[in-house]
Amino acid sequence: MKTLILAGGKGTRFSEETKTKPKPLILINEEPMLIHIINHYRHYGLRDFVILGGYKFEMINDYFDETAESISSGEYKYKDSKILVLNTGEETMTGGRLKIAIDELKLTNFLMTYGDGIGNINIDNLVNSHTKSNCLVTITAVRPPARFGRLEIEDNLITSFGEKNQSKEGWINGGFFVINSEINSYIEDEMTVLERSPFGNLAKEKRLNAFKHYGFWQPVDTIREKEQLENILKEKNEMPWI
C-alpha cells in the first residue's frame, strides 16, 4: 500500500523558515520532519512513499539526491523504501494534489498524511479501523494540544483556575488517513480543498470514519511548536512511535 505525504503547501504561518524551504524539510533535532514521518510509517512495514510536492518541491528532490540512491527522475531508493517526489503544483489545494496522485498513479486504497505533523499513531490499528468501517475515508481524530490554562468564570469571578486540560478540547483532524480512490469523484478540480466539501459531503453520507487516537500528536506550524516537539523527542531520547 502506498503512503502519500502532502508536502506542497507554502507554510505561511511558519515564514521564518519556509521562506527558504518547504515546511516538511524543516529540521527537527537535525533531521527533516519529512524523514521523521517516513520513519514512522517504515516502523509499520510501509515501504512505498509518494511525496506530493509543490512549493519549492525541487528542494525535496535535492535532499534525496544527496541522501538516497536515484532510480530515475524524481524516484529514489531510500534505505529499504521507494520514494517518488511528484510535483503537484505550487498553487494546488489539498484535494487537487490528491486528485493528481490518484489519476497519475492509478491508486485504489492508500494511506496519506500531512508533512507537518508527528505522532505515535498505530498504523496497523488505523488500517484495521478503516477496513471494518466500510467507509471511503478514515481520519485520525486527535485532541488539540491545550495551549493555555483553563479558567471557569461565573459573574465575572474566576471559580476555577486550572492547568491545561487536553481532554476538554474536543476532537480535530490529525491527518494520518486511509483513503479509497472513490474519493476522486468528490474532488472537483485542482483548487478543491479536501477538508471542505469532499470531507463535508462524506460526513453527510456517513462515509467518513474516525479513528480516535489518545496518544502523542504534535503539529508543527510555528517555531514554538517546533521547539516543543524537539524537547519532547529529546526527553524521550527516541522517536515516540518506537
Side-chain angles (χ1 to χ4, degrees):
M1 187 182 292
K2 291 185 185 296
T3 301
L4 278 54
I5 302 175
L6 289 163
K10 295 181 180 179
T12 54
R13 286 180 290 180
F14 206 158
S15 59
E16 298 92 339
E17 294 208 35
T18 56
K19 285 180 181 178
T20 59
K21 68 181 71 170
K23 195 197 292 189
L25 287 186
I26 290 172
L27 298 182
I28 304 296
N29 292 342
E30 302 182 357
E31 189 164 49
M33 185 157 42
L34 178 63
I35 298 303
H36 289 296
I37 293 168
I38 287 172
N39 287 339
H40 177 188
Y41 282 93
R42 286 179 59 242
H43 178 69
Y44 287 93
L46 282 305
R47 298 289 183 265
D48 194 353
F49 297 91
V50 182
I51 300 170
L52 305 184
Y55 174 70
K56 296 186 182 297
F57 86 97
E58 67 280 357
M59 294 186 69
I60 299 175
N61 273 324
D62 291 344
Y63 174 82
F64 287 110
D65 278 335
E66 296 173 2
T67 61
E69 176 186 344
S70 178
I71 300 173
S72 61
S73 179
E75 191 171 7
Y76 304 90
K77 180 181 179 183
Y78 175 76
K79 297 183 178 179
D80 55 0
S81 301
K82 183 177 74 172
I83 293 177
L84 173 65
V85 182
L86 189 64
N87 181 12
T88 56
E90 186 168 321
E91 303 298 331
T92 309
M93 298 291 103
T94 49
R97 296 189 196 284
L98 179 54
K99 187 175 186 65
I100 290 169
I102 291 172
D103 291 342
E104 290 197 17
L105 303 176
K106 310 302 180 186
L107 300 177
T108 52
N109 292 300
F110 54 93
L111 300 164
M112 189 178 79
T113 193
Y114 300 115
D116 61 358
I118 291 177
N120 64 345
I121 289 83
N122 186 307
I123 302 300
D124 290 338
N125 290 345
L126 168 63
V127 172
N128 288 338
S129 173
H130 178 75
T131 301
K132 292 176 181 177
S133 73
N134 292 317
C135 288
L136 280 191
V137 175
T138 292
I139 297 176
T140 298
V142 299
R143 300 286 194 186
R147 300 174 188 268
F148 307 101
R150 176 177 295 274
L151 303 180
E152 294 183 10
I153 302 174
E154 293 180 11
D155 297 325
N156 294 328
L157 291 176
I158 296 174
T159 59
S160 176
F161 184 92
E163 293 297 320
K164 303 172 186 177
N165 188 344
Q166 190 183 35
S167 66
K168 293 185 178 181
E169 299 297 321
W171 296 95
I172 63 170
N173 168 20
F176 295 93
F177 307 96
V178 187
I179 303 177
N180 182 280
S181 60
E182 287 183 44
I183 186 70
N184 212 10
S185 64
Y186 292 77
I187 301 172
E188 184 175 351
D189 54 34
E190 292 185 4
M191 299 312 294
T192 300
V193 177
L194 185 65
E195 298 82 358
R196 294 180 185 169
S197 60
F199 282 175
N201 289 331
L202 285 175
K204 292 176 184 177
E205 296 172 11
K206 302 187 185 304
R207 305 184 81 186
L208 195 62
N209 179 49
F211 173 73
K212 291 183 177 179
H213 174 65
Y214 295 89
F216 170 77
W217 178 80
Q218 175 70 54
V220 184
D221 284 326
T222 64
I223 284 181
R224 179 173 180 268
E225 289 176 340
K226 172 188 171 178
E227 292 171 347
Q228 286 177 333
L229 178 59
E230 288 181 323
N231 289 333
I232 289 169
L233 297 186
K234 285 176 182 177
E235 288 173 4
K236 290 178 177 292
N237 198 31
E238 60 184 11
M239 295 303 110
W241 45 85
I242 294 176

